[in-house]
Amino acid sequence: MRDPSRAGEKYTHPYVTFFHLFFRGAAIVIYMFCGWFSDSFITSFVFVVLFLSADFWTVKNISGRLLVGLRWWNYVDDDGVSHWVFESKNSESYQSRINKHEQRIFWLGLILCPVFWGLFFLMALFGLKFKWLLLVMIAIALNAANLYGYIKCNYGAGKDLNSAATDFVKTQLFKNAMDIMTKPSTAQPPTNVRPTGIV
């Protein structure tokens, strides 16, 4: 039996691959042809943003992890400082199981869609369609965030998913231990002090 990741006619995650392209493609199609079905800007705006949001969540949390073994995420520590984490499953055993066709589709969809939204931005800007310009800027922000995150994961992470989670737990435990050690002790006042007789 051949490995599904090496078979040219078979996809390991067909549904994930489909929805990786469906949500972002649907957002572009609705933006281009929404005027054919409705004259309401609000209706078009809501539908495009819904598909953009579904695409952002799917790509960030599902397709990136399953199709290419990458993930990026953010957390806020106890001091209120935001930290960005870029993770990559770069072990040879895992990389050998990645379907090359799915990997190619993932990166093509991730790169080409921001290009389309960039063109729509120029068209809306020079056409003085400022209300559509806001929608395009939202699309560019969401697409660019995923693109930047996964490029950072692929070329600048070098950290395994499991080790990243372990390092985070270790860091939090060490920080809590240091806080306990450095916290000033609340010493009780001495109880055996004799009165001096001074009024």
Side-chain angles (χ1 to χ4, degrees):
M1 181 181 293
R2 290 186 298 174
D3 186 355
S5 64
R6 298 179 184 277
E9 70 281 2
K10 191 171 183 180
Y11 290 92
T12 312
H13 307 93
Y15 295 107
V16 176
T17 305
F18 170 77
F19 283 107
H20 174 73
L21 297 176
F22 172 74
F23 288 127
R24 54 184 44 217
I28 292 176
V29 171
I30 291 174
Y31 176 83
M32 293 176 62
F33 301 107
C34 59
W36 292 10
F37 305 101
S38 174
D39 294 331
S40 173
F41 169 75
I42 299 299
T43 302
S44 303
F45 186 95
V46 169
F47 273 98
V48 173
V49 170
L50 283 176
F51 277 101
L52 287 172
S53 302
D55 167 69
F56 179 81
W57 186 89
T58 302
V59 174
K60 179 180 178 295
N61 296 295
I62 298 178
S63 63
R65 179 171 54 87
L66 294 179
L67 300 185
V68 292
L70 304 175
R71 186 176 69 172
W72 64 272
W73 52 288
N74 171 271
Y75 71 93
V76 180
D77 61 19
D78 296 336
D79 298 326
V81 179
S82 180
H83 298 272
W84 294 89
V85 182
F86 305 97
E87 303 169 348
S88 172
K89 269 196 171 182
N90 50 11
S91 62
E92 294 183 2
S93 60
Y94 187 86
Q95 290 295 324
S96 63
R97 297 198 303 268
I98 292 180
N99 188 297
K100 300 304 179 184
H101 296 284
E102 293 178 347
Q103 186 181 44
R104 190 177 301 111
I105 290 174
F106 175 84
W107 286 110
L108 283 175
L110 201 66
I111 294 172
L112 289 180
C113 288
V115 173
F116 279 104
W117 287 113
L119 294 176
F120 295 152
F121 176 83
L122 294 177
M123 292 170 63
L125 180 63
F126 290 110
L128 302 179
K129 300 178 180 179
F130 296 111
K131 61 180 182 179
W132 293 104
L133 196 62
L134 173 62
L135 179 58
V136 174
M137 290 174 65
I138 294 174
I140 291 176
L142 293 176
N143 279 263
N146 266 327
L147 179 60
Y148 173 79
Y150 282 115
I151 289 177
K152 190 76 173 178
C153 289
N154 195 44
Y155 296 104
K159 180 180 287 189
D160 186 76
L161 295 174
N162 295 327
S163 63
T166 304
D167 291 344
F168 173 70
V169 173
K170 289 179 179 178
T171 302
Q172 292 300 312
L173 290 175
F174 177 77
K175 185 177 183 301
N176 292 336
M178 291 299 296
D179 289 342
I180 293 174
M181 294 174 60
T182 57
K183 182 183 293 185
S185 60
T186 56
Q188 296 293 332
T191 57
N192 57 350
V193 178
R194 298 179 180 179
T196 58
I198 300 176
V199 178

